[in-house]
Amino acid sequence: MEKHLGQLYQQKTKYSRSSLEGRKLDWDNRPDSFKEYDGEYLILPGPLPDDGKSLWQSLRERKSVRKYTGEKLSPEELNRLLWAVNGTTRGTAPKDFYFRTAPSAGGLYPVETYIQINRVRDFKPGIYHYSVPKHGLHLLQEGEFGSSLAGAALDQPMVENSAVNFLWTAVTSRTFWKYGQRGIRYIYMDAGHVGQNLYLAAAALDLGCCVIGAFFDDEVNKLLGVDGEDETIVYMASVGRP
């Protein structure tokens, strides 16, 4: 029986004792572990005092929620969600390297966070990029993109009805630099870690969340202004008040 492309990839990228070869890393050309845009970033206050639910309660309450009230989120809620997803926990040498709230294979952090705001108090609707070192947001495009993004997500109404949508791209060269073609496995693992962080943060804040794997890749990439090759959409999530 003919194997599917995914099965072939899984077989071709297996490690085995007989074929495992070391890779010589080109440290002079190591890709950056985060992306920055030119222009002003709106700086967020960072992690706030721990006055919410316990981790264990958040785990128990975590679930996918697809219906939202249409009520706006507060800036404080957005701040906490963003920090939970991809915020820094500590910096270290070499310069401009940051550990994050979600783990990443090899500390390479291929996942970039964008958000599409429908309804957040004090924020203009539009598409933003999240800066890891600044813990800030840069407005890429101002406007009402909920309907367009919902259409790109196979017409799932929760995308338009949510307060905010998280869009995670992968800068593939960051992972390929160390792991070669096997790196695709690790990119999707990393995205899964980030998605679970959002679920738990939403549960802790009594918000609804639902991750999304069904979308027209090229349409989402176009909305974000990424090339779909070195940087491409891999995962999405909607968040709102249930």
Side-chain angles (χ1 to χ4, degrees):
M1 185 173 68
E2 183 180 358
K3 290 185 177 180
H4 293 293
L5 181 61
Q7 292 173 312
L8 290 171
Y9 172 79
Q10 195 75 9
Q11 295 298 320
K12 292 290 186 181
T13 58
K14 279 183 176 180
Y15 280 162
S16 69
R17 293 184 181 276
S18 62
S19 63
L20 183 61
E21 296 179 358
R23 291 177 59 86
K24 185 176 180 180
L25 300 181
D26 183 2
W27 290 98
D28 291 335
N29 291 300
R30 178 179 178 174
D32 292 333
S33 63
F34 56 83
K35 179 179 179 178
E36 292 280 74
Y37 284 87
D38 292 332
E40 183 179 354
Y41 276 83
L42 176 62
I43 307 304
L44 300 167
L48 300 175
D50 183 10
D51 56 359
K53 298 176 183 177
S54 72
L55 169 64
W56 312 111
Q57 186 177 357
S58 297
L59 283 166
R60 183 181 296 276
E61 295 179 5
R62 187 220 63 78
K63 61 182 178 181
S64 292
V65 177
R66 294 175 173 83
K67 293 184 178 180
Y68 310 117
T69 64
E71 183 182 349
K72 291 183 177 181
L73 263 59
S74 71
E76 293 78 14
E77 288 169 323
L78 180 62
N79 170 52
R80 291 191 179 203
L81 292 172
L82 283 164
W83 184 80
V85 162
N86 212 8
T88 63
T89 54
R90 63 195 189 280
T92 186
K95 185 180 178 182
D96 294 336
F97 178 82
Y98 301 90
F99 287 103
R100 323 247 178 113
T101 52
S104 176
L108 300 172
Y109 299 106
V111 176
E112 288 285 332
T113 298
Y114 298 80
I115 62 171
Q116 182 266 317
I117 289 180
N118 289 320
R119 285 170 283 278
V120 177
R121 197 173 70 243
D122 301 334
F123 282 82
K124 298 175 182 177
I127 297 174
Y128 295 75
H129 173 257
Y130 173 70
S131 165
V132 169
K134 294 182 177 70
H135 185 59
L137 289 171
H138 175 65
L139 178 60
L140 297 176
Q141 297 185 71
E142 182 180 347
E144 304 282 352
F145 293 98
S147 177
S148 297
L149 188 59
L154 278 61
D155 296 314
Q156 297 182 70
M158 64 181 174
V159 175
E160 188 171 6
N161 297 333
S162 67
V164 60
N165 294 297
F166 284 71
L167 302 104
W168 293 298
T169 65
V171 180
T172 57
S173 58
R174 294 179 191 166
T175 300
F176 290 163
W177 171 80
K178 183 173 184 178
Y179 295 113
Q181 291 302 308
R182 187 177 170 91
I184 289 289
R185 296 183 182 218
Y186 303 143
I187 285 171
Y188 285 99
M189 292 177 193
D190 283 7
H193 301 321
V194 168
Q196 176 71 339
N197 275 19
L198 182 63
Y199 262 126
L200 294 177
L205 295 169
D206 290 319
L207 298 174
C209 175
C210 186
V211 293
I212 301 167
F215 42 77
F216 297 113
D217 301 58
D218 290 342
E219 292 183 20
V220 181
N221 287 330
K222 184 176 180 180
L223 278 172
L224 296 178
V226 300
D227 64 12
E229 294 185 8
D230 185 59
E231 183 176 1
T232 186
I233 187 71
V234 292
Y235 211 16
M236 288 174 49
S238 291
V239 178
R241 209 169 301 284

